[in-house]
Amino acid sequence: MRNRPLLRTSYNQELALLDTTSKKVAVGILLAVGVALPWLVEDQLLQLIGLACVTAIGAIGLNIVTGYAGQVSLGHAFFLAIGAYTAAAIAGDPDARTIGFGVREILIWLPAAGVVAALAGVLVAPLATRLRGLYLAIVTLGLVFIGGHVINEWSSLTGGPGIGRQPPAPTLLGYDLNTGDAFLTRDQKLYLLMLVLLVLAALAARNLARSRVGRAFTAIRDRDIAAGVMGVNLARYKTIAFGVSSFYAGCAGALLYVGIGYFDPTTFNLLLSVQYIAMILIGGAGTVSGAVLGAFLITLLPRLIREVPSFLPFISNSPAESPNAYQLETVLYGVLIIVFLIFEPRGLFGIWIRLRNYWKAWPFSY
């Protein structure tokens, strides 16, 4: 097989996680760079990259239900909010003005946030068996507005609009990750934690996609009627897709504002759901790598846009002036979605595939 590396003689070889040497080397290099990054960049940028890692976990979750299973969901912000407030309540200070139980162990509040969000996803899943396409998207969009009203009014849990509350402060087996020490700063600790969680989430999602459940998702996405005729239980697998996606969203929501140290009920709005849709469409729907690429691009985009006024003086960094960088950021989300849907439906992952195939076939054009 050394001289014919792409020849497959068994299903195990075809479904291997890393089926070529080049993939193994590339993944190894990426992991090495990721682990070394805390000592290569400043803490401010490291905090942003850690946020991108958490955002990527949420994007992988949305990609499971929308990219793999074909169920369009605009309610991702709703499940992110459930995870965020579940974790904040479990780990919150019991003596504070908001609900808190004082359990700071991340091995408790992080899975709990995912499980509570997954239960909410399972409750929503029956709608997916009756609706699809635009109708399902509108129903999930309604969840954002319902959830927004609830969290705005439930001030004992959320702190209320404009006030907010602190996110959970992580402790791993008694080791405080929310403060620095002689070896690592706070941002370095949180980044390494989020990087490890992203790797675990990506591996779990990739293995799910290679499994029988993942193949059922793909069959439902391509043609649900045909999948049902072939014996795929539509109600069961759509429920699994929503449950798993919501679990990822709950975990991402629990970690999303840990680095910032504060979050407000108004952050879980329609724009947040649109940002996650943009991530999987720009990165590449139906691929774990695409979800990660899209999440990193959308998370780092505001930082890049803040540098635009230095090149284009007529664009301001002040929200009081127009046009400004904040308006440009909002417009770019829509522009990027339109451009990628028209010219590269497979997203950034599709561009990578084109480049890879070009160099593998070079100097030939076929």
Side-chain angles (χ1 to χ4, degrees), residues 78-79 82 115-126 238-239 242-243 246:
F78 173 72
F79 301 108
I82 291 177
V115 169
V116 173
L119 291 176
V122 170
L123 292 176
V124 175
K238 287 182 179 181
T239 301
F242 268 93
S246 301

Side-chain angles (χ1 to χ4, degrees), residues 350-363:
I351 294 175
W352 158 246
I353 293 297
R354 289 173 181 267
L355 292 174
R356 187 188 67 181
N357 291 341
Y358 174 82
W359 287 109
K360 287 174 66 175
W362 189 86

Side-chain angles (χ1 to χ4, degrees), residues 164-287:
R165 67 173 295 163
Q166 291 182 332
T171 298
L172 180 62
L173 300 177
Y175 181 63
D176 189 4
L177 300 175
N178 206 42
T179 57
D181 54 31
F183 302 100
L184 296 171
T185 65
R186 172 182 180 271
D187 290 325
Q188 288 175 333
K189 290 181 182 179
L190 293 179
Y191 164 77
L192 291 174
L193 169 68
M194 294 168 183
L195 176 65
V196 171
L197 292 174
L198 173 59
V199 172
L200 294 176
L203 284 174
R206 188 68 185 91
N207 283 319
L208 179 67
R210 296 187 302 140
S211 67
R212 179 181 178 181
V213 174
R215 293 193 294 272
F217 288 169
T218 304
I220 294 172
R221 177 195 65 195
D222 293 341
R223 178 63 69 178
D224 56 349
I225 296 177
V229 171
M230 290 188 297
V232 176
N233 189 324
L234 300 183
R236 176 187 176 188
Y237 286 108
K238 287 182 179 181
T239 301
I240 292 175
F242 268 93
V244 174
S245 172
S246 301
F247 180 85
Y248 273 76
C251 292
L255 295 166
L256 201 55
Y257 300 99
V258 168
I260 300 174
Y262 165 85
F263 68 107
D264 182 85
T266 58
T267 58
F268 301 100
N269 52 24
L270 177 59
L271 178 59
L272 184 61
S273 289
V274 172
Q275 288 175 342
Y276 273 91
I277 288 291
M279 291 173 198
I280 64 172
L281 292 179
I282 293 171
T287 63

Side-chain angles (χ1 to χ4, degrees), residues 22-43:
S22 59
K23 289 183 180 180
K24 296 176 182 178
V25 172
V27 170
I29 292 175
L30 285 175
L31 290 177
V33 172
V35 172
L37 208 57
W39 295 275
L40 300 177
V41 301
E42 58 183 11
D43 282 359

Side-chain angles (χ1 to χ4, degrees), residues 62 74 270-284 294 297-298 301 329-348:
L62 182 60
L74 294 177
L270 177 59
L271 178 59
L272 184 61
S273 289
V274 172
Q275 288 175 342
Y276 273 91
I277 288 291
M279 291 173 198
I280 64 172
L281 292 179
I282 293 171
L297 175 63
I298 295 299
L301 186 63
E329 177 186 339
T330 303
V331 170
L332 273 180
Y333 290 141
V335 171
L336 288 172
I337 291 175
I338 294 171
V339 168
F340 274 93
L341 284 177
I342 294 176
F343 297 104
E344 186 51 81
R346 298 185 65 186
L348 295 172

Side-chain angles (χ1 to χ4, degrees), residues 93-104:
D93 185 359
D95 298 324
R97 58 183 176 80
T98 51
I99 298 174
F101 297 97
V103 182
R104 295 183 57 185

